[in-house]
Amino acid sequence: MTNYWLMKSEPDVFSLDDLKKAPKKTEPWDGVRNYQARNFMRDQMKKGDVVLFYHSNCKEPGIVGVAEISSKAAYADPTQFDSKSKYHDPKSDPDNPRWYMVDIEFVSKVADVDQPVGLPEIKSDPKLADMELVRYGRLSVQSVKKAEFDHVKKLAGL
DNA sequence: GCCAACGTTGGC
DNA sequence: GCCAACGTTGGC
């Protein structure tokens, strides 16, 4: 069964366009350092799951497109063992890695990226009032219900 | 840049 | 195991 997700990225750091421009349009989603987000990736994500791509911490926060999980499952995030990386975690044991990641692949984006399905629109839509994004905004990887996913896709014209 | 709402750390 | 202090997220 396909699972539905929402994943956040700051467009100044890594935008949906960056993903689209990547070779093979797929990139490792490294740097997640939150246990709840990690648990979703490590325990539940699998290839083919679909993802609402959310731009945070920017002028027009909102959902800008769709991606999908392209790695077979989650695997250890190598940046945790790289002392030069800003995601380095000296407490993580290579024999029992603390942090996991998945690869995600570009699928589609809204026609005009300056007009995403914006956060105010999401918050004011009764069909989306139960989204984790609305109820508890700060988690970078969230689970989304199929009905919510379909509704957002419709709003986005995808 | 401010700050609310969290999560994490570490002393005890 | 409690909790104060600190760090982070992210909208505004």
PDB file of all heavy atoms in Angstrom, chain B residues 1 3-5 7 10-12, chain C residues 1-3 6 8-10 12:
ATOM      1  P    DG B   1      18.702  40.405  11.604  1.00  0.00           P
ATOM      2  OP1  DG B   1      19.217  41.692  11.093  1.00  0.00           O
ATOM      3  OP2  DG B   1      19.727  39.369  11.983  1.00  0.00           O
ATOM      4  O5'  DG B   1      17.828  40.651  12.880  1.00  0.00           O
ATOM      5  C5'  DG B   1      17.322  41.928  13.107  1.00  0.00           C
ATOM      6  C4'  DG B   1      16.083  41.761  13.907  1.00  0.00           C
ATOM      7  O4'  DG B   1      15.062  41.069  13.134  1.00  0.00           O
ATOM      8  C3'  DG B   1      16.258  40.942  15.175  1.00  0.00           C
ATOM      9  O3'  DG B   1      15.395  41.512  16.136  1.00  0.00           O
ATOM     10  C2'  DG B   1      15.815  39.538  14.757  1.00  0.00           C
ATOM     11  C1'  DG B   1      14.673  39.865  13.811  1.00  0.00           C
ATOM     12  N9   DG B   1      14.383  38.879  12.772  1.00  0.00           N
ATOM     13  C8   DG B   1      15.280  38.238  11.973  1.00  0.00           C
ATOM     14  N7   DG B   1      14.710  37.416  11.136  1.00  0.00           N
ATOM     15  C5   DG B   1      13.353  37.526  11.411  1.00  0.00           C
ATOM     16  C6   DG B   1      12.234  36.877  10.829  1.00  0.00           C
ATOM     17  O6   DG B   1      12.216  36.049   9.914  1.00  0.00           O
ATOM     18  N1   DG B   1      11.031  37.292  11.410  1.00  0.00           N
ATOM     19  C2   DG B   1      10.931  38.203  12.402  1.00  0.00           C
ATOM     20  N2   DG B   1       9.703  38.461  12.842  1.00  0.00           N
ATOM     21  N3   DG B   1      11.975  38.816  12.964  1.00  0.00           N
ATOM     22  C4   DG B   1      13.132  38.423  12.421  1.00  0.00           C
ATOM     23  P    DC B   3      10.145  39.668  21.089  1.00  0.00           P
ATOM     24  OP1  DC B   3       9.166  40.610  21.641  1.00  0.00           O
ATOM     25  OP2  DC B   3      11.473  39.485  21.698  1.00  0.00           O
ATOM     26  O5'  DC B   3       9.450  38.240  20.998  1.00  0.00           O
ATOM     27  C5'  DC B   3       8.250  38.078  20.261  1.00  0.00           C
ATOM     28  C4'  DC B   3       7.929  36.606  20.137  1.00  0.00           C
ATOM     29  O4'  DC B   3       8.741  36.015  19.109  1.00  0.00           O
ATOM     30  C3'  DC B   3       8.215  35.801  21.410  1.00  0.00           C
ATOM     31  O3'  DC B   3       7.223  34.815  21.561  1.00  0.00           O
ATOM     32  C2'  DC B   3       9.539  35.125  21.091  1.00  0.00           C
ATOM     33  C1'  DC B   3       9.280  34.810  19.625  1.00  0.00           C
ATOM     34  N1   DC B   3      10.486  34.453  18.839  1.00  0.00           N
ATOM     35  C2   DC B   3      10.340  33.600  17.742  1.00  0.00           C
ATOM     36  O2   DC B   3       9.219  33.173  17.454  1.00  0.00           O
ATOM     37  N3   DC B   3      11.431  33.262  17.032  1.00  0.00           N
ATOM     38  C4   DC B   3      12.631  33.732  17.385  1.00  0.00           C
ATOM     39  N4   DC B   3      13.669  33.370  16.644  1.00  0.00           N
ATOM     40  C5   DC B   3      12.799  34.594  18.498  1.00  0.00           C
ATOM     41  C6   DC B   3      11.714  34.931  19.195  1.00  0.00           C
ATOM     42  P    DA B   4       6.321  34.796  22.869  1.00  0.00           P
ATOM     43  OP1  DA B   4       5.734  36.139  22.999  1.00  0.00           O
ATOM     44  OP2  DA B   4       7.134  34.207  23.934  1.00  0.00           O
ATOM     45  O5'  DA B   4       5.171  33.757  22.496  1.00  0.00           O
ATOM     46  C5'  DA B   4       4.597  33.782  21.192  1.00  0.00           C
ATOM     47  C4'  DA B   4       4.413  32.381  20.678  1.00  0.00           C
ATOM     48  O4'  DA B   4       5.589  31.933  19.974  1.00  0.00           O
ATOM     49  C3'  DA B   4       4.146  31.335  21.756  1.00  0.00           C
ATOM     50  O3'  DA B   4       3.183  30.438  21.233  1.00  0.00           O
ATOM     51  C2'  DA B   4       5.514  30.674  21.959  1.00  0.00           C
ATOM     52  C1'  DA B   4       6.105  30.748  20.560  1.00  0.00           C
ATOM     53  N9   DA B   4       7.560  30.871  20.475  1.00  0.00           N
ATOM     54  C8   DA B   4       8.393  31.552  21.314  1.00  0.00           C
ATOM     55  N7   DA B   4       9.656  31.504  20.960  1.00  0.00           N
ATOM     56  C5   DA B   4       9.655  30.739  19.817  1.00  0.00           C
ATOM     57  C6   DA B   4      10.680  30.309  18.945  1.00  0.00           C
ATOM     58  N6   DA B   4      11.957  30.608  19.114  1.00  0.00           N
ATOM     59  N1   DA B   4      10.331  29.555  17.894  1.00  0.00           N
ATOM     60  C2   DA B   4       9.040  29.245  17.716  1.00  0.00           C
ATOM     61  N3   DA B   4       7.985  29.587  18.452  1.00  0.00           N
ATOM     62  C4   DA B   4       8.369  30.341  19.500  1.00  0.00           C
ATOM     63  P    DA B   5       2.500  29.334  22.117  1.00  0.00           P
ATOM     64  OP1  DA B   5       1.103  29.229  21.698  1.00  0.00           O
ATOM     65  OP2  DA B   5       2.875  29.560  23.522  1.00  0.00           O
ATOM     66  O5'  DA B   5       3.242  28.019  21.626  1.00  0.00           O
ATOM     67  C5'  DA B   5       3.192  27.676  20.250  1.00  0.00           C
ATOM     68  C4'  DA B   5       4.127  26.517  20.014  1.00  0.00           C
ATOM     69  O4'  DA B   5       5.498  26.988  20.022  1.00  0.00           O
ATOM     70  C3'  DA B   5       4.054  25.427  21.099  1.00  0.00           C
ATOM     71  O3'  DA B   5       4.079  24.157  20.468  1.00  0.00           O
ATOM     72  C2'  DA B   5       5.322  25.665  21.915  1.00  0.00           C
ATOM     73  C1'  DA B   5       6.266  26.117  20.811  1.00  0.00           C
ATOM     74  N9   DA B   5       7.451  26.836  21.269  1.00  0.00           N
ATOM     75  C8   DA B   5       7.563  27.685  22.332  1.00  0.00           C
ATOM     76  N7   DA B   5       8.766  28.187  22.491  1.00  0.00           N
ATOM     77  C5   DA B   5       9.492  27.624  21.463  1.00  0.00           C
ATOM     78  C6   DA B   5      10.837  27.740  21.071  1.00  0.00           C
ATOM     79  N6   DA B   5      11.729  28.502  21.709  1.00  0.00           N
ATOM     80  N1   DA B   5      11.249  27.033  19.985  1.00  0.00           N
ATOM     81  C2   DA B   5      10.349  26.269  19.363  1.00  0.00           C
ATOM     82  N3   DA B   5       9.060  26.072  19.625  1.00  0.00           N
ATOM     83  C4   DA B   5       8.694  26.788  20.706  1.00  0.00           C
ATOM     84  P    DG B   7       7.920  17.953  21.104  1.00  0.00           P
ATOM     85  OP1  DG B   7       7.428  16.920  20.176  1.00  0.00           O
ATOM     86  OP2  DG B   7       7.645  17.867  22.552  1.00  0.00           O
ATOM     87  O5'  DG B   7       9.491  18.113  20.926  1.00  0.00           O
ATOM     88  C5'  DG B   7      10.059  18.124  19.620  1.00  0.00           C
ATOM     89  C4'  DG B   7      11.564  18.153  19.738  1.00  0.00           C
ATOM     90  O4'  DG B   7      11.949  19.370  20.416  1.00  0.00           O
ATOM     91  C3'  DG B   7      12.147  16.999  20.555  1.00  0.00           C
ATOM     92  O3'  DG B   7      13.307  16.502  19.898  1.00  0.00           O
ATOM     93  C2'  DG B   7      12.479  17.623  21.905  1.00  0.00           C
ATOM     94  C1'  DG B   7      12.769  19.062  21.529  1.00  0.00           C
ATOM     95  N9   DG B   7      12.429  20.017  22.575  1.00  0.00           N
ATOM     96  C8   DG B   7      11.207  20.201  23.175  1.00  0.00           C
ATOM     97  N7   DG B   7      11.216  21.138  24.089  1.00  0.00           N
ATOM     98  C5   DG B   7      12.525  21.598  24.085  1.00  0.00           C
ATOM     99  C6   DG B   7      13.134  22.612  24.868  1.00  0.00           C
ATOM    100  O6   DG B   7      12.627  23.327  25.739  1.00  0.00           O
ATOM    101  N1   DG B   7      14.481  22.769  24.557  1.00  0.00           N
ATOM    102  C2   DG B   7      15.145  22.022  23.601  1.00  0.00           C
ATOM    103  N2   DG B   7      16.438  22.305  23.427  1.00  0.00           N
ATOM    104  N3   DG B   7      14.590  21.078  22.865  1.00  0.00           N
ATOM    105  C4   DG B   7      13.277  20.919  23.163  1.00  0.00           C
ATOM    106  P    DG B  10      24.988  16.826  26.953  1.00  0.00           P
ATOM    107  OP1  DG B  10      26.218  17.463  26.459  1.00  0.00           O
ATOM    108  OP2  DG B  10      24.745  15.378  26.756  1.00  0.00           O
ATOM    109  O5'  DG B  10      24.851  17.144  28.501  1.00  0.00           O
ATOM    110  C5'  DG B  10      24.676  18.488  28.939  1.00  0.00           C
ATOM    111  C4'  DG B  10      24.320  18.476  30.408  1.00  0.00           C
ATOM    112  O4'  DG B  10      22.904  18.230  30.565  1.00  0.00           O
ATOM    113  C3'  DG B  10      25.028  17.384  31.215  1.00  0.00           C
ATOM    114  O3'  DG B  10      25.345  17.905  32.483  1.00  0.00           O
ATOM    115  C2'  DG B  10      23.959  16.297  31.327  1.00  0.00           C
ATOM    116  C1'  DG B  10      22.726  17.171  31.472  1.00  0.00           C
ATOM    117  N9   DG B  10      21.470  16.511  31.175  1.00  0.00           N
ATOM    118  C8   DG B  10      21.252  15.432  30.352  1.00  0.00           C
ATOM    119  N7   DG B  10      19.998  15.074  30.285  1.00  0.00           N
ATOM    120  C5   DG B  10      19.345  15.979  31.117  1.00  0.00           C
ATOM    121  C6   DG B  10      17.981  16.100  31.447  1.00  0.00           C
ATOM    122  O6   DG B  10      17.042  15.415  31.056  1.00  0.00           O
ATOM    123  N1   DG B  10      17.747  17.163  32.328  1.00  0.00           N
ATOM    124  C2   DG B  10      18.723  17.986  32.820  1.00  0.00           C
ATOM    125  N2   DG B  10      18.331  18.947  33.653  1.00  0.00           N
ATOM    126  N3   DG B  10      20.008  17.885  32.521  1.00  0.00           N
ATOM    127  C4   DG B  10      20.243  16.870  31.666  1.00  0.00           C
ATOM    128  P    DG B  11      26.588  17.369  33.305  1.00  0.00           P
ATOM    129  OP1  DG B  11      27.784  17.971  32.709  1.00  0.00           O
ATOM    130  OP2  DG B  11      26.477  15.915  33.472  1.00  0.00           O
ATOM    131  O5'  DG B  11      26.328  18.065  34.729  1.00  0.00           O
ATOM    132  C5'  DG B  11      25.836  19.398  34.778  1.00  0.00           C
ATOM    133  C4'  DG B  11      24.848  19.558  35.915  1.00  0.00           C
ATOM    134  O4'  DG B  11      23.576  18.977  35.534  1.00  0.00           O
ATOM    135  C3'  DG B  11      25.263  18.862  37.215  1.00  0.00           C
ATOM    136  O3'  DG B  11      24.959  19.706  38.299  1.00  0.00           O
ATOM    137  C2'  DG B  11      24.411  17.583  37.221  1.00  0.00           C
ATOM    138  C1'  DG B  11      23.156  18.046  36.510  1.00  0.00           C
ATOM    139  N9   DG B  11      22.441  16.996  35.791  1.00  0.00           N
ATOM    140  C8   DG B  11      22.976  16.071  34.928  1.00  0.00           C
ATOM    141  N7   DG B  11      22.083  15.275  34.418  1.00  0.00           N
ATOM    142  C5   DG B  11      20.885  15.690  34.964  1.00  0.00           C
ATOM    143  C6   DG B  11      19.563  15.193  34.771  1.00  0.00           C
ATOM    144  O6   DG B  11      19.188  14.272  34.056  1.00  0.00           O
ATOM    145  N1   DG B  11      18.632  15.908  35.525  1.00  0.00           N
ATOM    146  C2   DG B  11      18.934  16.964  36.352  1.00  0.00           C
ATOM    147  N2   DG B  11      17.916  17.521  36.991  1.00  0.00           N
ATOM    148  N3   DG B  11      20.165  17.438  36.538  1.00  0.00           N
ATOM    149  C4   DG B  11      21.081  16.750  35.822  1.00  0.00           C
ATOM    150  P    DC B  12      25.626  19.496  39.736  1.00  0.00           P
ATOM    151  OP1  DC B  12      25.692  20.830  40.340  1.00  0.00           O
ATOM    152  OP2  DC B  12      26.832  18.664  39.568  1.00  0.00           O
ATOM    153  O5'  DC B  12      24.549  18.647  40.533  1.00  0.00           O
ATOM    154  C5'  DC B  12      23.299  19.259  40.873  1.00  0.00           C
ATOM    155  C4'  DC B  12      22.299  18.202  41.238  1.00  0.00           C
ATOM    156  O4'  DC B  12      21.880  17.490  40.058  1.00  0.00           O
ATOM    157  C3'  DC B  12      22.834  17.078  42.126  1.00  0.00           C
ATOM    158  O3'  DC B  12      22.711  17.454  43.503  1.00  0.00           O
ATOM    159  C2'  DC B  12      21.914  15.908  41.807  1.00  0.00           C
ATOM    160  C1'  DC B  12      21.255  16.300  40.493  1.00  0.00           C
ATOM    161  N1   DC B  12      21.397  15.286  39.409  1.00  0.00           N
ATOM    162  C2   DC B  12      20.238  14.656  38.931  1.00  0.00           C
ATOM    163  O2   DC B  12      19.153  14.964  39.427  1.00  0.00           O
ATOM    164  N3   DC B  12      20.354  13.723  37.961  1.00  0.00           N
ATOM    165  C4   DC B  12      21.550  13.428  37.458  1.00  0.00           C
ATOM    166  N4   DC B  12      21.618  12.514  36.503  1.00  0.00           N
ATOM    167  C5   DC B  12      22.735  14.057  37.932  1.00  0.00           C
ATOM    168  C6   DC B  12      22.618  14.972  38.894  1.00  0.00           C
TER     169       DC B  12
ATOM    170  P    DG C   1      12.523   6.492  34.656  1.00  0.00           P
ATOM    171  OP1  DG C   1      12.097   5.176  35.076  1.00  0.00           O
ATOM    172  OP2  DG C   1      11.916   7.274  33.617  1.00  0.00           O
ATOM    173  O5'  DG C   1      12.675   7.345  35.991  1.00  0.00           O
ATOM    174  C5'  DG C   1      11.601   7.649  36.887  1.00  0.00           C
ATOM    175  C4'  DG C   1      11.681   9.095  37.247  1.00  0.00           C
ATOM    176  O4'  DG C   1      13.067   9.526  37.392  1.00  0.00           O
ATOM    177  C3'  DG C   1      11.078  10.046  36.211  1.00  0.00           C
ATOM    178  O3'  DG C   1      10.461  11.081  36.965  1.00  0.00           O
ATOM    179  C2'  DG C   1      12.296  10.565  35.441  1.00  0.00           C
ATOM    180  C1'  DG C   1      13.314  10.647  36.554  1.00  0.00           C
ATOM    181  N9   DG C   1      14.712  10.566  36.123  1.00  0.00           N
ATOM    182  C8   DG C   1      15.255   9.746  35.183  1.00  0.00           C
ATOM    183  N7   DG C   1      16.533   9.899  35.030  1.00  0.00           N
ATOM    184  C5   DG C   1      16.873  10.909  35.917  1.00  0.00           C
ATOM    185  C6   DG C   1      18.120  11.514  36.198  1.00  0.00           C
ATOM    186  O6   DG C   1      19.213  11.277  35.687  1.00  0.00           O
ATOM    187  N1   DG C   1      18.008  12.504  37.173  1.00  0.00           N
ATOM    188  C2   DG C   1      16.848  12.839  37.806  1.00  0.00           C
ATOM    189  N2   DG C   1      16.925  13.796  38.727  1.00  0.00           N
ATOM    190  N3   DG C   1      15.669  12.266  37.550  1.00  0.00           N
ATOM    191  C4   DG C   1      15.746  11.323  36.596  1.00  0.00           C
ATOM    192  P    DC C   2       9.376  11.997  36.448  1.00  0.00           P
ATOM    193  OP1  DC C   2       8.137  11.746  37.180  1.00  0.00           O
ATOM    194  OP2  DC C   2       9.407  11.941  34.970  1.00  0.00           O
ATOM    195  O5'  DC C   2       9.973  13.385  36.931  1.00  0.00           O
ATOM    196  C5'  DC C   2      10.356  13.516  38.297  1.00  0.00           C
ATOM    197  C4'  DC C   2      11.121  14.809  38.484  1.00  0.00           C
ATOM    198  O4'  DC C   2      12.487  14.643  38.018  1.00  0.00           O
ATOM    199  C3'  DC C   2      10.549  16.007  37.726  1.00  0.00           C
ATOM    200  O3'  DC C   2      10.527  17.100  38.620  1.00  0.00           O
ATOM    201  C2'  DC C   2      11.519  16.210  36.561  1.00  0.00           C
ATOM    202  C1'  DC C   2      12.835  15.703  37.143  1.00  0.00           C
ATOM    203  N1   DC C   2      13.796  15.137  36.166  1.00  0.00           N
ATOM    204  C2   DC C   2      15.127  15.575  36.181  1.00  0.00           C
ATOM    205  O2   DC C   2      15.463  16.446  36.991  1.00  0.00           O
ATOM    206  N3   DC C   2      16.001  15.031  35.305  1.00  0.00           N
ATOM    207  C4   DC C   2      15.607  14.082  34.443  1.00  0.00           C
ATOM    208  N4   DC C   2      16.513  13.572  33.607  1.00  0.00           N
ATOM    209  C5   DC C   2      14.252  13.628  34.414  1.00  0.00           C
ATOM    210  C6   DC C   2      13.393  14.174  35.283  1.00  0.00           C
ATOM    211  P    DC C   3       9.597  18.379  38.321  1.00  0.00           P
ATOM    212  OP1  DC C   3       9.171  18.935  39.624  1.00  0.00           O
ATOM    213  OP2  DC C   3       8.595  18.028  37.294  1.00  0.00           O
ATOM    214  O5'  DC C   3      10.643  19.382  37.666  1.00  0.00           O
ATOM    215  C5'  DC C   3      11.830  19.716  38.361  1.00  0.00           C
ATOM    216  C4'  DC C   3      12.764  20.479  37.434  1.00  0.00           C
ATOM    217  O4'  DC C   3      13.488  19.543  36.598  1.00  0.00           O
ATOM    218  C3'  DC C   3      12.043  21.424  36.457  1.00  0.00           C
ATOM    219  O3'  DC C   3      12.822  22.589  36.302  1.00  0.00           O
ATOM    220  C2'  DC C   3      12.040  20.632  35.166  1.00  0.00           C
ATOM    221  C1'  DC C   3      13.421  20.004  35.261  1.00  0.00           C
ATOM    222  N1   DC C   3      13.637  18.862  34.345  1.00  0.00           N
ATOM    223  C2   DC C   3      14.947  18.544  33.977  1.00  0.00           C
ATOM    224  O2   DC C   3      15.874  19.217  34.423  1.00  0.00           O
ATOM    225  N3   DC C   3      15.152  17.511  33.127  1.00  0.00           N
ATOM    226  C4   DC C   3      14.117  16.805  32.669  1.00  0.00           C
ATOM    227  N4   DC C   3      14.369  15.802  31.846  1.00  0.00           N
ATOM    228  C5   DC C   3      12.778  17.122  33.030  1.00  0.00           C
ATOM    229  C6   DC C   3      12.582  18.148  33.866  1.00  0.00           C
ATOM    230  P    DC C   6      21.539  28.962  29.790  1.00  0.00           P
ATOM    231  OP1  DC C   6      22.942  29.284  30.109  1.00  0.00           O
ATOM    232  OP2  DC C   6      20.499  30.013  29.807  1.00  0.00           O
ATOM    233  O5'  DC C   6      21.517  28.268  28.364  1.00  0.00           O
ATOM    234  C5'  DC C   6      22.080  26.961  28.227  1.00  0.00           C
ATOM    235  C4'  DC C   6      21.524  26.295  26.997  1.00  0.00           C
ATOM    236  O4'  DC C   6      20.162  25.870  27.225  1.00  0.00           O
ATOM    237  C3'  DC C   6      21.473  27.209  25.762  1.00  0.00           C
ATOM    238  O3'  DC C   6      22.358  26.677  24.791  1.00  0.00           O
ATOM    239  C2'  DC C   6      20.008  27.148  25.311  1.00  0.00           C
ATOM    240  C1'  DC C   6      19.507  25.875  25.979  1.00  0.00           C
ATOM    241  N1   DC C   6      18.043  25.839  26.212  1.00  0.00           N
ATOM    242  C2   DC C   6      17.301  24.801  25.666  1.00  0.00           C
ATOM    243  O2   DC C   6      17.875  23.934  24.996  1.00  0.00           O
ATOM    244  N3   DC C   6      15.964  24.766  25.874  1.00  0.00           N
ATOM    245  C4   DC C   6      15.377  25.699  26.608  1.00  0.00           C
ATOM    246  N4   DC C   6      14.065  25.614  26.783  1.00  0.00           N
ATOM    247  C5   DC C   6      16.116  26.781  27.173  1.00  0.00           C
ATOM    248  C6   DC C   6      17.436  26.813  26.957  1.00  0.00           C
ATOM    249  P    DT C   8      20.984  24.825  17.433  1.00  0.00           P
ATOM    250  OP1  DT C   8      21.840  23.919  16.658  1.00  0.00           O
ATOM    251  OP2  DT C   8      21.176  26.283  17.391  1.00  0.00           O
ATOM    252  O5'  DT C   8      19.469  24.532  17.057  1.00  0.00           O
ATOM    253  C5'  DT C   8      18.940  23.230  17.271  1.00  0.00           C
ATOM    254  C4'  DT C   8      17.554  23.172  16.684  1.00  0.00           C
ATOM    255  O4'  DT C   8      16.633  23.858  17.568  1.00  0.00           O
ATOM    256  C3'  DT C   8      17.407  23.831  15.314  1.00  0.00           C
ATOM    257  O3'  DT C   8      16.715  22.912  14.485  1.00  0.00           O
ATOM    258  C2'  DT C   8      16.611  25.111  15.603  1.00  0.00           C
ATOM    259  C1'  DT C   8      15.800  24.712  16.823  1.00  0.00           C
ATOM    260  N1   DT C   8      15.416  25.802  17.757  1.00  0.00           N
ATOM    261  C2   DT C   8      14.095  25.883  18.162  1.00  0.00           C
ATOM    262  O2   DT C   8      13.236  25.135  17.760  1.00  0.00           O
ATOM    263  N3   DT C   8      13.831  26.892  19.056  1.00  0.00           N
ATOM    264  C4   DT C   8      14.734  27.799  19.570  1.00  0.00           C
ATOM    265  O4   DT C   8      14.381  28.657  20.362  1.00  0.00           O
ATOM    266  C5   DT C   8      16.094  27.656  19.106  1.00  0.00           C
ATOM    267  C7   DT C   8      17.135  28.587  19.599  1.00  0.00           C
ATOM    268  C6   DT C   8      16.373  26.674  18.236  1.00  0.00           C
ATOM    269  P    DT C   9      16.523  23.233  12.916  1.00  0.00           P
ATOM    270  OP1  DT C   9      16.751  21.951  12.222  1.00  0.00           O
ATOM    271  OP2  DT C   9      17.259  24.456  12.534  1.00  0.00           O
ATOM    272  O5'  DT C   9      14.981  23.555  12.847  1.00  0.00           O
ATOM    273  C5'  DT C   9      14.061  22.696  13.493  1.00  0.00           C
ATOM    274  C4'  DT C   9      12.694  23.322  13.412  1.00  0.00           C
ATOM    275  O4'  DT C   9      12.599  24.396  14.365  1.00  0.00           O
ATOM    276  C3'  DT C   9      12.359  23.934  12.043  1.00  0.00           C
ATOM    277  O3'  DT C   9      11.114  23.389  11.663  1.00  0.00           O
ATOM    278  C2'  DT C   9      12.318  25.446  12.308  1.00  0.00           C
ATOM    279  C1'  DT C   9      11.978  25.506  13.779  1.00  0.00           C
ATOM    280  N1   DT C   9      12.463  26.662  14.559  1.00  0.00           N
ATOM    281  C2   DT C   9      11.604  27.248  15.461  1.00  0.00           C
ATOM    282  O2   DT C   9      10.454  26.879  15.611  1.00  0.00           O
ATOM    283  N3   DT C   9      12.143  28.285  16.183  1.00  0.00           N
ATOM    284  C4   DT C   9      13.429  28.781  16.094  1.00  0.00           C
ATOM    285  O4   DT C   9      13.802  29.700  16.785  1.00  0.00           O
ATOM    286  C5   DT C   9      14.282  28.108  15.135  1.00  0.00           C
ATOM    287  C7   DT C   9      15.677  28.584  14.974  1.00  0.00           C
ATOM    288  C6   DT C   9      13.768  27.094  14.423  1.00  0.00           C
ATOM    289  P    DG C  10      10.615  23.429  10.183  1.00  0.00           P
ATOM    290  OP1  DG C  10       9.625  22.354   9.994  1.00  0.00           O
ATOM    291  OP2  DG C  10      11.785  23.524   9.314  1.00  0.00           O
ATOM    292  O5'  DG C  10       9.851  24.815  10.123  1.00  0.00           O
ATOM    293  C5'  DG C  10       8.690  24.986  10.899  1.00  0.00           C
ATOM    294  C4'  DG C  10       8.314  26.445  10.870  1.00  0.00           C
ATOM    295  O4'  DG C  10       9.190  27.189  11.732  1.00  0.00           O
ATOM    296  C3'  DG C  10       8.441  27.111   9.481  1.00  0.00           C
ATOM    297  O3'  DG C  10       7.288  27.872   9.274  1.00  0.00           O
ATOM    298  C2'  DG C  10       9.650  28.011   9.638  1.00  0.00           C
ATOM    299  C1'  DG C  10       9.488  28.398  11.092  1.00  0.00           C
ATOM    300  N9   DG C  10      10.647  29.025  11.704  1.00  0.00           N
ATOM    301  C8   DG C  10      11.960  28.947  11.326  1.00  0.00           C
ATOM    302  N7   DG C  10      12.755  29.647  12.090  1.00  0.00           N
ATOM    303  C5   DG C  10      11.917  30.223  13.032  1.00  0.00           C
ATOM    304  C6   DG C  10      12.194  31.091  14.113  1.00  0.00           C
ATOM    305  O6   DG C  10      13.284  31.525  14.459  1.00  0.00           O
ATOM    306  N1   DG C  10      11.054  31.436  14.813  1.00  0.00           N
ATOM    307  C2   DG C  10       9.781  31.000  14.519  1.00  0.00           C
ATOM    308  N2   DG C  10       8.799  31.428  15.304  1.00  0.00           N
ATOM    309  N3   DG C  10       9.500  30.177  13.496  1.00  0.00           N
ATOM    310  C4   DG C  10      10.601  29.832  12.804  1.00  0.00           C
ATOM    311  P    DC C  12       1.638  32.557   9.208  1.00  0.00           P
ATOM    312  OP1  DC C  12       0.356  32.366   9.880  1.00  0.00           O
ATOM    313  OP2  DC C  12       1.777  32.341   7.750  1.00  0.00           O
ATOM    314  O5'  DC C  12       2.175  34.020   9.536  1.00  0.00           O
ATOM    315  C5'  DC C  12       2.097  34.480  10.885  1.00  0.00           C
ATOM    316  C4'  DC C  12       2.978  35.684  11.043  1.00  0.00           C
ATOM    317  O4'  DC C  12       4.363  35.285  11.072  1.00  0.00           O
ATOM    318  C3'  DC C  12       2.921  36.669   9.880  1.00  0.00           C
ATOM    319  O3'  DC C  12       1.878  37.598  10.078  1.00  0.00           O
ATOM    320  C2'  DC C  12       4.287  37.342   9.923  1.00  0.00           C
ATOM    321  C1'  DC C  12       5.130  36.449  10.827  1.00  0.00           C
ATOM    322  N1   DC C  12       6.420  36.054  10.230  1.00  0.00           N
ATOM    323  C2   DC C  12       7.586  36.540  10.782  1.00  0.00           C
ATOM    324  O2   DC C  12       7.513  37.289  11.749  1.00  0.00           O
ATOM    325  N3   DC C  12       8.782  36.197  10.241  1.00  0.00           N
ATOM    326  C4   DC C  12       8.814  35.375   9.189  1.00  0.00           C
ATOM    327  N4   DC C  12      10.005  35.058   8.701  1.00  0.00           N
ATOM    328  C5   DC C  12       7.623  34.871   8.595  1.00  0.00           C
ATOM    329  C6   DC C  12       6.455  35.224   9.144  1.00  0.00           C
TER     330       DC C  12
END
